[in-house]
């Protein structure tokens, strides 16, 4: 595969297109609409979004942890998700969407 400054190694989508996708994701547009606009699949748009994730070590818990539940998107298999936030910095620590076998 040829390598250029326009694309990342092993990618077919140019860096400029990825930046445009990210700018559209910041607006109130659905991933499906963005995928149709750029003639890509929704999973490709999701991959571009995930590429912006900052990998943090989760071997610790913040000193002050905020917990909030919210209704999951239709694309997630579970009805509710949990948002974990570092209340001192205001940054999202994690979002949990795992199914639970716990019955109360």
């Amino acid at each position: 595969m040829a390598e250029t400054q326009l694309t990342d190694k092993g990618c077919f989508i140019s860096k400029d297109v990825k930046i445009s996708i990210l700018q559209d994701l910041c607006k109130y547009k659905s991933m499906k609409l963005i995928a149709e606009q750029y003639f890509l699949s929704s999973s490709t748009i999701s991959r571009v979004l995930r590429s912006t994730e900052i990998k943090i070590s989760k071997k610790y818990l913040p000193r002050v942890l905020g917990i909030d539940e919210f209704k999951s998107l239709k694309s997630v298999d579970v009805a509710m998700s949990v948002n974990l936030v570092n209340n001192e910095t205001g940054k999202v620590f994690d979002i949990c969407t795992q199914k639970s076998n716990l019955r109360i």
Side-chain angles (χ1 to χ4, degrees):
M1 181 181 310
E3 291 184 39
T4 69
Q5 294 178 349
L6 300 174
T7 61
D8 293 323
K9 184 177 180 180
C11 292
F12 294 103
I13 302 168
S14 74
K15 294 175 185 177
D16 289 340
V17 170
K18 288 180 182 180
I19 290 170
S20 296
I21 290 169
L22 291 172
Q23 288 172 342
D24 283 345
L25 285 168
C26 291
K27 300 174 186 171
Y28 290 105
K29 284 186 173 181
S30 71
M31 293 174 88
K32 184 177 179 181
L33 181 67
I34 295 169
E36 289 173 1
Q37 178 182 346
Y38 290 98
F39 302 101
L40 299 168
S41 69
S42 295
S43 59
T44 300
I45 303 300
S46 182
R47 244 187 331 274
V48 170
L49 178 60
R50 279 195 311 269
S51 72
T52 64
E53 285 181 0
I54 298 171
K55 306 294 182 197
I56 59 171
S57 172
K58 295 181 183 164
K59 295 179 182 176
Y60 70 94
L61 287 175
R63 200 168 69 85
V64 181
L65 181 67
I67 302 173
D68 188 24
E69 63 183 358
F70 61 95
K71 184 165 175 36
S72 298
L73 299 172
K74 290 180 182 177
S75 60
V76 179
D77 291 339
V78 294
M80 299 297 287
S81 297
V82 177
N83 185 21
L84 303 175
V85 178
N86 181 337
N87 273 357
E88 292 179 324
T89 64
K91 293 186 178 179
V92 174
F93 183 72
D94 201 358
I95 296 178
C96 304
T97 58
Q98 238 178 3
K99 290 183 179 180
S100 173
N101 293 330
L102 179 66
R103 298 189 192 272
I104 298 176

